[in-house]
Amino acid sequence: MTDNTRINDAILPITSLAFVEDISNIARLLLAGEGPYLKVFDHNNGRLTTIERIFETQAIHGIKTANVLDINDNYLDGAAEVLIWSGRCVRRGLLRYGVAEQLVEIELQAVLSADDWILDGCFCPLIQGDQLGNGPRQFNAVLVTAHNVAQAVCRDDGDCAVLRRVVAGPDSMLYSAHIESVECGRILVASGTVFGEILVWSFPGSAVGAGFVLPVSMQLHYKFVGHEGSVFGVRISPMLSAPGFENGYQLLASCSDDRTIRLWDVSDLEADEIYSDKEPKKGLGVSLPTGCLAMTMGHASRIWNVHFFVSGDVINVLSVGEDGTVQVWQVNAALSSHNVEKSNSVFMSHQHTYAYHTGKNIWASALTRRQHGDHAVCTGGADGRIVLYGIYDGKASMDGQVLTNKWTMQDVAVDLGENPTSVGDKTKATSINTKSTLCEHVFDALAGTWAIEREIKSALPTSPSGTFGGEAEFESRPPTAPEFDKEYLYIENGKFTTGQGLTFTATRRYVYRYQRASGMVTAWFVKPDDNTVVDYLFHEIRLDGSNGSDIHDVLDVNGVVKASSYHLCVKDHYTPSYVMHLNEGQLQDWKLAYQVKGPEKDYISEATYVRKEKVSSVVAKAKTLNGQISPGRHLEADSFRSYVFLTDDSFLVTTANGRVLIRTMALSASSESKAEPSIHGLSNGDTPIANWKLVGQYDILESSSMLARAALSNRVFISGNEGTVFIYDRDKVMPILYLERKIAFLYAQTICSDRPGRESHLILAACLGLPVSFVYRVSDDELRDSDLARQPTKLSLPTGFIVTSAYYLEQQHVWVLGCRTGAVATYDELTAELVGIMTDIHGQDAITVVQRLPLQSEGQPPYILTAGRDGHYAVHRVTISSTKGGKTHVELHTVHRSTPTFGPNIEGAAFDRRTQELILWGFRSKEFVVWNASKDIETMNVDCGGVHRNWCYNPSNNGSKGGTFVWTKASVCHVHWQPSTSHQVLSSGGHGREIKAMAISPALGESDGSQYIATGSEDTTIRIWSYSTPKDQSESHIRCLRTCKKHTAGIQQMHWSADSSLLFSAGGCEQFFVWRVQPMPVLGIGAVCEAVCPKVTDDGDLRIMDFAIVETPCDFKVSAKSVEKSHIISIVYSDSSLRSGTYTTHCLTAASYIHNELYTASSDGHIALWSAGQCSPYFLGSEVRSHYRTPVHQSSIKSMFLIPLDTTSHDYLIVTGGDDGALGITRQMLSQDSVQPMTATLLIPKAHAAGINVVEYLSRVHYLADQSLQVHVFASSGNDQRLKTWVAFIKGGGNPNVLIESIAVRLYCNRHTSVADVSSLSAISTAKGVGVVVAGIGMECYANITSEIPTPSDKNG
């Protein structure tokens, strides 16, 4: 019978990988063996270009490629030979690809069968006369099999491919082998045996040709022993040249069941049987490690394979293992010698571990050298995932660009031009080393309020003498002219008392300006009609000293700075002079004197300025924010504190001594510029230009400072150690808020405005020991006029509520605060009242993230994301309502909760601006990890030492492409910049272990009409998939939407509710969970566990074998607007109990409800009908008892489903699959006048060659109006990897006493499935009709499985 079934998609273990390189040895394509399918990927963009089925039933175990020669022995571009094997089968083929790799064609030869299991193969150089003709010349190929026999794949006289035995190596049973052609014209074989031995032997390459003559001589070179387990992988290195290894040196790497990697010297191929055990012994435990150069142990379990690669002059070994990791080892040699007696001079040091797969086992791996010198590594695992990444200097990156750098405070001092000197000499300030920097420092120090006393002595009687007392303020404001950098409005108010005793009020205003380009301070008159507007120049202030720029000319040993000037005002000459005393860089008092002479003026004015009281002193010191470093306090004695990013290539950092520094990084096209010495991985030869800039130093920022950047803005808010909040904006720092105590938490958020540049900024701060949080709103316009008297809004916190995160919902005017103990509190901003609190969102751990999900459509309720140090992140729908009293009430409804793999500390989150993918970051042990939660993959990993340090992370513009991470370690500032992801996932794969349960949602899921597929695995995770027809043919029909993690043991069974809103899952350790599944914006669907079934034993060590659910007509209210169906759930356990009612001594294996009647199957081959009591919303709590039992199979029933034949009466068809390989079709009828049902069973023995693990109902294809005939289609599968489709013909009516005559069954289709250990089948709707999804070790989807079902008239025969 013709099988018209088409495979839509498959997710199977990746069992082989190979790169296709062009004639320049640059990888162009990647070939992957996934089950019997060969997938071809474009190496440049990761796009899937071709899928070809190579074998009918066997999975591909190995792939080798080689370039193609023309008749002139020149390599052909765009063509490659492929050698593909599986078990005993092998095929050769010719692969052609275009320049853009968009079109790939594969010409395959016939399948050849070897005598034994094939372990490895390679292509061999052509021998003259091997091939004639005008077409491309194909290499010969040679294989090595499990009994150490070499077989050649060549062409016979009829130009057909044939497989010929060449030579047998040393007699042994092998687990692994590596075969390759070496320069001496021989074929070299390394064989790893079952008994822990390694055999290295060779034979002439000429023996592989088509015209060779037997016998062929074999030469054994080495026989190594030392492994304490079977050898799973061997690899011969290329000819090596590296420090410690002479030219022509060749190594062999091996890995074993004993978890060790060993290196051996195989350089000398002339000698026979070197380092052989003269009396060979069989069996493990023989220890003779002669010839072993080095040994290391690193993987957590068995190691499957090893590879060599050379970076520069460094030899590396790459290993893959059962633990799902890739590890890189560097081979170090202290001596350059082949003498194995000095083997202790060679050792392997661990460089890095890559863990990009889930579950167990990396089965396939391949390496290739990339264009810019690093190596591309590709791995495939049992999870079906294919991962591609580059390795450069031990770090993973897709494009090889990884920038790392570090600076000490001494490096910063050198970059700033500071010359460290003795601390006691105040004349040698560490960074005030020019007149201009000192001038700017003095200008900044003038900020604040001063008490002023002035005495005027006049020589003319027309001008009175007297004294003035009052207050003067230097009020900082934005420069009113573009050529100036800083500006003060000087305001003087007080009373003047003449020598005669007259007193009157006096005021005076000037404008002081600073220009950094000239290093000059100037004083200006203001206009009489508007005393805030600059009129004309009063005088320039010049520091006294020589014309040089040396600081010692203007700052004496006591820290005194003097300045003078001159101004001609019409006819009057003004000569002002300033004397300022700097004490530890602070200005506490200073003097200003004027000598005025003219026709009508002759007087001297001497004024003394003293800083006001302590509070004003704090403000004044805060306003000294653009000052430089205090004398006597050196940068090199300082330490880094807090970090915040300003842009993608610059960040701000504060120090322990109160400095504010800016670090800027940019890429320069030339490496001639001053480059950092520790930069790595810029493949294009670029080097970054990075500069430090000192903004200022302030006592108020010493020891403790917190930084908060307002999103969508470059403004940074800084907290001091005395409760002051400052804002940094465009190289200026200004105080904007003063609180009562030291600040323990600081958050800032920008509120967008219709006018660009006119945004508002919200600040939320919490102080130590205060039960309130402070909210302060400031606009860009208000920043020009800082008002410290303005009071913030206070939010009263619940008892014990310590704020650790915050977010403001702008449209709803609601603050959402996260707590150190896992609670969330919401506040109405307008009334400052607490309007909602939700506890235990993240257990008792701190909530580190509160953020809104991007808005998808108008009118959509807000959703917020929370994450915490419990390792979870959650999404909540925010519901805002009003109480009867008119007060606002806020509720959070959790719609999703998940645990990323990297945990346990989630410290930050962001949504990618372009793709809206969710990016999480935090710490795993000593590593900082960036995680793409939407794709469930890691994008960046940095070994920083762990969470207990100061750090900051900035996602790139494309957040899924890496970012920049800065941190402090051992008082050193480190930066890691990664413009791309650490790896590229070519195929997402699925579960890391075998799938044990699957369920397809009855209702359609997404807007495109897709269905949800839920799978549960031995890896303890649940995955929810979407099945739909993709727009792009290269994309998969199956797409993983969500991964749920709560089970701690393997999952055994799953079911959906009728409306697909609930998913029930059960497994080991008596775990039964109910999941709420619902759509949510941006992230697709959410899943949250909302109910847990209590365990029935104290130890909880039973396994739930199966369960059955049925909706009941009794609904119950969830809320005022929500009514849900209740469910009866019956659970069967591994101790042969059905919830609380004992059945028999035989284990219950399956359960199913039909029309509120419960059927079970058991390990003794019986099916049973049960009676049950009343229902409850989720779990059946009453006793249940067996009502009727029927024998069907000779052994355990492994799967069962029921079909109602008549909706008005008890007439059911029960289909079962047994461990005996039989298929049972049982019809059961219950008439009105009978006590027990009438039963008839049609048993089909040997329906499968092995046990039937699963049977699944597909569809009713024909149903005659008079019910005289029903046609039902179902499928079965088992350990024989056969998927069979059956058609059952059921006659209606008739005499119940002859039920057996009413059943007829026909096998419709018998096909192979690539899924091993099939555990689940599920019917699914496809564009072609009814399809089926097969799950076990992987997944496979079949379309149109019910096409061409025979009509009722065809039932006979």
Side-chain angles (χ1 to χ4, degrees):
M1 181 176 295
T2 303
D3 182 6
N4 297 316
T5 303
R6 182 173 66 89
I7 295 178
N8 274 354
D9 219 327
I11 301 175
L12 303 170
I14 307 301
T15 50
S16 56
L17 292 166
F19 287 101
V20 175
E21 299 178 346
D22 60 16
I23 59 177
S24 302
N25 295 326
I26 302 301
R28 302 291 292 274
L29 300 174
L30 173 69
L31 309 183
E34 184 173 358
Y37 308 101
L38 179 69
K39 293 187 174 182
V40 183
F41 295 89
D42 184 340
H43 177 256
N44 294 323
N45 55 30
R47 180 183 176 87
L48 177 65
T49 62
T50 304
I51 301 178
E52 186 81 18
R53 185 161 191 153
I54 305 300
F55 302 106
E56 274 301 314
T57 60
Q58 294 285 345
I60 298 173
H61 292 159
I63 307 171
K64 285 295 176 71
T65 65
N67 294 114
V68 179
L69 292 173
D70 62 15
I71 58 176
N72 298 317
D73 286 346
N74 297 318
Y75 285 107
L76 294 177
D77 202 3
E81 285 201 74
V82 290
L83 182 69
I84 307 171
W85 64 88
S86 170
R88 288 188 171 95
C89 301
V90 62
R91 296 186 79 173
R92 289 186 63 160
L94 184 64
L95 187 147
R96 301 180 186 273
Y97 55 93
V99 176
E101 287 85 40
Q102 296 299 318
L103 297 176
V104 178
E105 298 178 354
I106 304 177
E107 302 172 8
L108 292 171
Q109 299 176 5
V111 177
L112 304 177
S113 182
D115 299 333
D116 200 355
W117 195 273
I118 301 170
L119 296 181
D120 196 24
C122 73
F123 288 99
C124 307
L126 287 170
I127 306 300
Q128 187 174 7
D130 276 350
Q131 182 172 333
L132 300 176
N134 298 323
R137 289 157 57 82
Q138 293 185 325
F139 288 109
N140 292 313
V142 62
L143 308 170
V144 60
T145 63
H147 280 83
N148 219 11
V149 176
Q151 292 188 294
V153 182
C154 50
R155 308 184 75 83
D156 60 12
D157 296 336
D159 202 30
C160 296
V162 294
L163 194 60
R164 293 177 176 172
R165 179 187 176 102
V166 179
V167 65
D171 184 22
S172 187
M173 295 176 59
L174 308 185
Y175 251 132
S176 59
H178 181 211
I179 182 171
E180 68 171 22
S181 174
V182 293
E183 294 180 357
C184 62
R186 298 184 66 84
I187 306 298
L188 185 63
V189 181
S191 307
T193 73
V194 174
F195 304 106
E197 300 169 332
I198 301 170
L199 307 173
V200 183
W201 56 283
S202 69
F203 60 92
S206 57
V208 182
F212 71 90
V213 178
L214 292 174
V216 177
S217 62
M218 176 275 299
Q219 184 178 6
L220 176 63
H221 303 286
Y222 296 93
K223 182 178 180 181
F224 298 122
V225 293
H227 279 294
E228 298 178 2
S230 300
V231 179
F232 292 140
V234 289
R235 185 73 55 178
I236 303 169
S237 76
M239 300 304 291
L240 301 173
S241 175
F245 297 95
E246 299 176 0
N247 290 333
Y249 205 85
Q250 198 160 24
L251 299 177
L252 171 73
S254 60
C255 58
S256 167
D257 193 19
D258 61 8
R259 295 170 48 207
T260 66
I261 303 169
R262 297 175 186 250
L263 292 181
W264 315 83
D265 177 12
V266 293
S267 302
D268 186 2
L269 297 181
E270 298 300 325
D272 293 336
E273 199 173 348
I274 303 178
Y275 311 128
S276 170
D277 188 354
K278 299 303 180 183
E279 296 180 0
K281 299 178 183 178
K282 298 297 184 183
L284 301 177
V286 179
S287 179
L288 184 62
T290 313
C292 182
L293 294 176
M295 181 190 74
T296 189
M297 177 180 290
H299 287 267
S301 53
R302 293 174 291 183
I303 306 172
W304 297 132
N305 212 344
V306 286
H307 296 269
F308 284 98
F309 69 95
V310 180
S311 296
D313 57 359
V314 178
I315 302 170
N316 300 278
V317 175
L318 181 143
S319 58
V320 299
E322 185 182 21
D323 59 3
T325 67
V326 175
Q327 300 194 23
V328 176
W329 310 84
Q330 182 174 311
V331 180
N332 303 279
L335 296 176
S336 176
S337 176
H338 293 179
N339 188 350
V340 295
E341 294 179 359
K342 299 180 181 179
S343 61
N344 58 358
S345 63
V346 181
F347 62 95
M348 288 182 284
S349 59
H350 183 266
Q351 299 298 301
H352 203 78
T353 297
Y354 304 100
Y356 297 144
H357 292 269
T358 60
K360 289 186 175 182
N361 295 312
I362 295 179
W363 292 126
S365 54
L367 282 87
T368 186
R369 180 178 288 276
R370 300 204 299 188
Q371 196 165 5
H372 37 71
D374 63 342
H375 287 78
V377 178
C378 187
T379 55
D383 57 358
R385 178 174 291 183
I386 302 175
V387 180
L388 177 67
Y389 53 96
I391 297 181
Y392 191 99
D393 227 11
K395 301 177 179 63
S397 174
M398 270 311 301
D399 56 8
Q401 295 192 32
V402 176
L403 180 154
T404 60
N405 213 335
K406 58 185 178 181
W407 304 276
T408 64
M409 289 304 301
Q410 186 174 7
D411 296 330
V412 176
V414 173
D415 198 9
L416 292 174
E418 177 181 320
N419 297 314
T421 57
S422 65
V423 175
D425 188 353
K426 294 185 178 182
T427 67
K428 298 177 181 178
T430 55
S431 187
I432 308 177
N433 48 21
T434 65
K435 282 187 178 181
S436 60
T437 54
L438 178 62
C439 189
E440 184 173 3
H441 178 76
V442 171
F443 181 87
D444 291 330
L446 291 172
T449 306
W450 304 85
I452 179 175
E453 292 183 1
R454 180 181 295 117
E455 181 180 5
I456 299 177
K457 299 178 181 179
S458 176
L460 300 177
T462 55
S463 297
S465 299
T467 59
F468 173 85
E471 186 176 273
E473 181 174 1
F474 286 85
E475 184 180 285
S476 177
R477 69 180 190 181
T480 55
E483 62 268 24
F484 295 97
D485 298 286
K486 302 175 184 181
E487 186 171 302
Y488 291 128
L489 176 64
Y490 176 83
I491 305 172
E492 179 182 296
N493 294 295
K495 292 183 178 181
F496 181 73
T497 303
T498 67
Q500 291 77 23
L502 297 177
T503 301
F504 53 88
T505 301
T507 184
R508 181 182 295 179
R509 292 196 175 197
Y510 299 106
V511 170
Y512 283 81
R513 289 170 163 176
Y514 174 72
Q515 185 180 56
R516 189 174 289 118
S518 62
M520 182 70 71
V521 176
T522 53
W524 300 71
F525 291 108
V526 297
K527 291 186 177 181
D529 55 344
D530 187 345
N531 55 17
T532 62
V533 178
V534 177
D535 194 357
Y536 59 93
L537 180 65
F538 182 11
H539 61 268
E540 296 177 346
I541 303 174
R542 302 181 182 88
L543 298 182
D544 292 349
S546 64
N547 294 329
S549 61
D550 192 343
I551 186 64
H552 306 122
D553 295 332
V554 293
L555 182 65
D556 66 16
V557 292
N558 296 314
V560 175
V561 180
K562 296 182 179 180
S564 59
S565 185
Y566 169 79
H567 171 68
L568 175 63
C569 182
V570 189
K571 298 180 180 180
D572 300 322
H573 300 268
Y574 286 78
T575 306
S577 60
Y578 297 79
V579 178
M580 300 183 180
H581 183 263
L582 296 176
N583 182 14
E584 292 293 323
Q586 299 298 321
L587 186 63
Q588 296 296 328
D589 59 83
W590 56 284
K591 295 180 179 180
L592 171 59
Y594 283 96
Q595 185 175 5
V596 183
K597 283 189 175 291
E600 300 178 355
K601 294 181 180 179
D602 187 1
Y603 67 88
I604 296 175
S605 171
E606 295 180 341
T608 300
Y609 293 77
V610 179
R611 195 173 289 281
K612 296 282 284 184
E613 65 274 11
K614 179 175 177 55
V615 173
S616 295
S617 175
V618 171
V619 175
K621 283 192 287 183
K623 287 188 176 181
T624 314
L625 288 179
N626 291 295
Q628 299 297 324
I629 298 176
S630 304
R633 307 177 69 182
H634 295 284
L635 261 171
E636 57 183 340
D638 209 344
S639 60
F640 300 100
R641 288 294 185 188
S642 302
Y643 301 94
V644 68
F645 279 90
L646 303 175
T647 63
D648 286 344
D649 58 359
S650 65
F651 60 88
L652 181 146
V653 56
T654 58
T655 71
N657 286 344
R659 293 177 174 87
V660 178
L661 301 166
I662 304 292
R663 181 69 186 186
T664 302
M665 300 173 292
L667 288 178
S668 169
S670 172
S671 60
E672 299 296 325
S673 57
K674 182 181 179 181
E676 315 297 343
S678 57
I679 289 177
H680 307 288
L682 294 178
S683 61
N684 58 3
D686 292 352
T687 56
I689 299 175
N691 296 294
W692 287 98
K693 178 181 179 180
L694 179 63
V695 176
Q697 179 185 356
Y698 327 103
D699 290 344
I700 200 169
L701 299 182
E702 288 183 358
S703 302
S704 175
S705 62
M706 303 185 71
L707 304 176
R709 177 189 169 191
L712 306 178
S713 170
N714 286 335
R715 294 173 177 84
V716 174
F717 296 88
I718 309 173
S719 69
N721 52 25
E722 298 181 11
T724 309
V725 178
F726 313 96
I727 184 172
Y728 167 84
D729 183 22
R730 293 185 291 270
D731 291 339
K732 298 178 183 178
V733 183
M734 298 180 294
I736 58 171
L737 179 64
Y738 181 75
L739 302 178
E740 304 170 27
R741 296 188 186 178
K742 181 179 178 180
I743 296 173
F745 174 78
L746 184 65
Y747 172 78
Q749 184 174 331
T750 298
I751 306 301
C752 297
S753 171
D754 295 335
R755 297 182 299 164
R758 301 294 182 182
E759 291 84 4
S760 296
H761 309 285
L762 278 175
I763 305 162
L764 186 139
C767 296
L768 287 175
L770 293 182
V772 296
S773 287
F774 299 91
V775 176
Y776 192 76
R777 184 189 289 260
V778 60
S779 66
D780 284 347
D781 293 334
E782 292 172 325
L783 286 176
R784 303 187 181 197
D785 184 16
S786 182
D787 182 8
L788 293 178
R790 181 178 175 184
Q791 295 299 313
T793 302
K794 293 183 179 180
L795 306 179
S796 297
L797 300 175
T799 303
F801 195 99
I802 300 175
V803 182
T804 55
S805 54
Y807 190 82
Y808 177 69
L809 296 173
E810 181 180 352
Q811 296 179 350
Q812 291 75 26
H813 305 289
V814 170
W815 274 102
V816 184
L817 307 184
C819 175
R820 181 179 292 178
T821 56
V824 167
T826 53
Y827 291 84
D828 186 341
E829 188 209 18
L830 303 179
T831 62
E833 293 182 351
L834 178 68
V835 294
I837 188 166
M838 186 175 181
T839 60
D840 297 327
I841 285 184
H842 290 276
Q844 294 297 309
D845 293 290
I847 297 177
T848 55
V849 175
V850 178
Q851 186 172 340
R852 178 172 182 160
L853 271 66
L855 189 65
Q856 295 292 293
S857 60
E858 293 294 334
Q860 187 182 61
Y863 287 75
I864 63 170
L865 170 80
T866 62
R869 294 197 176 121
D870 62 344
H872 295 80
Y873 73 92
V875 177
H876 317 272
R877 183 176 61 252
V878 182
T879 302
I880 301 177
S881 58
S882 298
T883 63
K884 294 182 179 179
K887 293 186 177 181
T888 300
H889 179 66
V890 177
E891 289 183 320
L892 301 183
H893 304 275
T894 303
V895 299
H896 179 64
R897 184 185 303 275
S898 186
T899 306
T901 305
F902 76 86
N905 294 322
I906 303 176
E907 300 291 339
F911 287 92
D912 182 78
R913 302 174 193 172
R914 184 177 60 86
T915 64
Q916 292 195 340
E917 294 171 353
L918 174 60
I919 310 299
L920 304 172
W921 56 86
F923 291 87
R924 175 181 58 212
S925 184
K926 295 182 178 181
E927 298 173 333
F928 175 79
V929 179
V930 181
W931 188 267
N932 186 322
S934 298
K935 294 182 177 180
D936 205 25
I937 60 173
E938 178 184 301
T939 62
M940 194 167 87
N941 183 309
V942 182
D943 186 355
C944 66
V947 67
H948 301 292
R949 63 199 62 256
N950 295 316
W951 61 274
C952 188
Y953 170 70
N954 182 53
S956 63
N957 287 326
N958 184 349
S960 60
K961 296 288 186 182
T964 310
F965 178 55
V966 57
W967 74 99
T968 303
K969 183 178 181 180
S971 300
V972 177
C973 172
H974 296 255
V975 170
H976 177 100
W977 173 75
Q978 185 174 304
S980 64
T981 57
S982 57
H983 63 284
Q984 181 181 9
V985 178
L986 303 183
S987 181
S988 299
H991 289 281
R993 298 283 300 278
E994 58 271 26
I995 297 172
K996 288 297 187 181
M998 178 171 60
I1000 295 184
S1001 62
L1004 296 180
E1006 300 176 335
S1007 58
D1008 59 358
S1010 62
Q1011 286 184 275
Y1012 293 151
I1013 305 173
T1015 55
S1017 167
E1018 281 293 329
D1019 64 5
T1020 73
T1021 66
I1022 295 172
R1023 287 178 179 259
I1024 301 177
W1025 310 75
S1026 168
Y1027 181 91
S1028 61
T1029 302
K1031 298 179 181 179
D1032 191 333
Q1033 293 300 317
S1034 67
E1035 296 178 355
S1036 174
H1037 289 71
I1038 306 176
R1039 180 167 54 94
C1040 185
L1041 303 176
R1042 186 65 54 221
T1043 300
C1044 306
K1045 302 173 184 177
K1046 188 173 177 66
H1047 284 273
T1048 58
I1051 298 167
Q1052 188 74 16
Q1053 189 56 273
M1054 304 173 70
H1055 290 293
W1056 289 94
S1057 63
D1059 61 357
S1060 301
S1061 64
L1062 296 177
L1063 176 64
F1064 305 87
S1065 64
C1069 300
E1070 302 177 21
Q1071 294 177 341
F1072 188 102
F1073 301 142
V1074 182
W1075 303 82
R1076 173 75 58 183
V1077 180
Q1078 53 193 311
M1080 60 179 175
V1082 182
L1083 298 177
I1085 65 167
V1088 60
C1089 182
E1090 67 175 24
V1092 178
C1093 178
K1095 295 183 178 181
V1096 297
T1097 65
D1098 294 336
D1099 297 332
D1101 57 355
L1102 298 179
R1103 176 177 285 270
I1104 296 177
M1105 306 302 296
D1106 197 3
F1107 65 92
I1109 62 171
V1110 63
E1111 287 189 358
T1112 65
C1114 50
D1115 299 338
F1116 66 98
K1117 283 190 175 183
V1118 177
S1119 64
K1121 298 181 180 180
S1122 177
V1123 177
E1124 288 204 353
K1125 295 286 185 182
S1126 61
H1127 297 80
I1128 296 177
I1129 302 177
S1130 295
I1131 307 173
V1132 294
Y1133 293 87
S1134 56
D1135 66 345
S1136 71
S1137 65
L1138 175 60
R1139 190 62 171 99
S1140 58
T1142 301
Y1143 176 46
T1144 67
T1145 57
H1146 298 283
C1147 177
L1148 299 179
T1149 57
S1152 181
Y1153 267 108
I1154 184 169
H1155 293 170
N1156 295 330
E1157 293 181 293
L1158 175 65
Y1159 281 84
T1160 63
S1162 64
S1163 59
D1164 64 349
H1166 285 65
I1167 58 175
L1169 171 65
W1170 297 73
S1171 63
Q1174 62 184 5
C1175 69
S1176 63
Y1178 284 110
F1179 299 109
L1180 181 65
S1182 59
E1183 285 284 333
V1184 291
R1185 56 188 176 85
S1186 174
H1187 180 63
Y1188 183 73
R1189 300 180 69 233
T1190 301
V1192 178
H1193 291 269
Q1194 296 179 0
S1195 57
S1196 176
I1197 297 175
K1198 304 187 75 172
S1199 182
M1200 175 182 69
F1201 70 84
L1202 293 86
I1203 305 172
L1205 298 178
D1206 187 347
T1207 57
T1208 62
S1209 64
H1210 184 120
D1211 189 0
Y1212 305 140
L1213 191 70
I1214 307 167
V1215 180
T1216 55
D1219 204 24
D1220 55 1
L1223 184 69
I1225 297 93
T1226 301
R1227 186 173 183 181
Q1228 192 172 89
M1229 294 179 64
L1230 179 64
S1231 60
Q1232 295 180 353
D1233 55 350
S1234 62
V1235 178
Q1236 291 187 339
M1238 302 186 65
T1239 303
T1241 297
L1242 174 63
L1243 192 68
I1244 304 175
K1246 299 182 180 180
H1248 282 262
I1252 299 177
N1253 294 337
V1254 60
V1255 290
E1256 175 68 11
Y1257 182 70
L1258 299 181
S1259 66
R1260 173 185 284 131
V1261 294
H1262 296 287
Y1263 189 104
L1264 301 186
D1266 60 357
Q1267 299 188 7
S1268 61
L1269 181 68
Q1270 297 184 31
V1271 182
H1272 300 272
V1273 183
F1274 58 92
S1276 63
S1277 189
N1279 294 330
D1280 58 356
Q1281 286 190 245
R1282 307 301 300 181
L1283 175 62
K1284 297 187 177 184
T1285 308
W1286 306 84
V1287 182
F1289 303 91
I1290 311 298
K1291 292 181 180 180
N1295 186 355
N1297 296 320
V1298 288
L1299 288 180
I1300 191 66
E1301 297 179 1
S1302 67
I1303 306 172
V1305 178
R1306 176 190 294 181
L1307 176 63
Y1308 165 62
C1309 188
N1310 182 0
R1311 63 181 64 81
H1312 172 81
T1313 175
S1314 302
V1315 178
D1317 293 344
V1318 175
S1319 63
S1320 304
L1321 296 175
S1322 290
I1324 192 167
S1325 299
T1326 70
K1328 301 291 184 179
V1330 177
V1332 67
V1333 182
V1334 185
I1337 300 181
M1339 297 172 65
E1340 206 166 38
C1341 299
Y1342 294 84
N1344 61 305
I1345 199 167
T1346 58
S1347 64
E1348 301 184 12
I1349 295 295
T1351 62
S1353 61
D1354 300 328
K1355 66 184 181 301
N1356 296 321

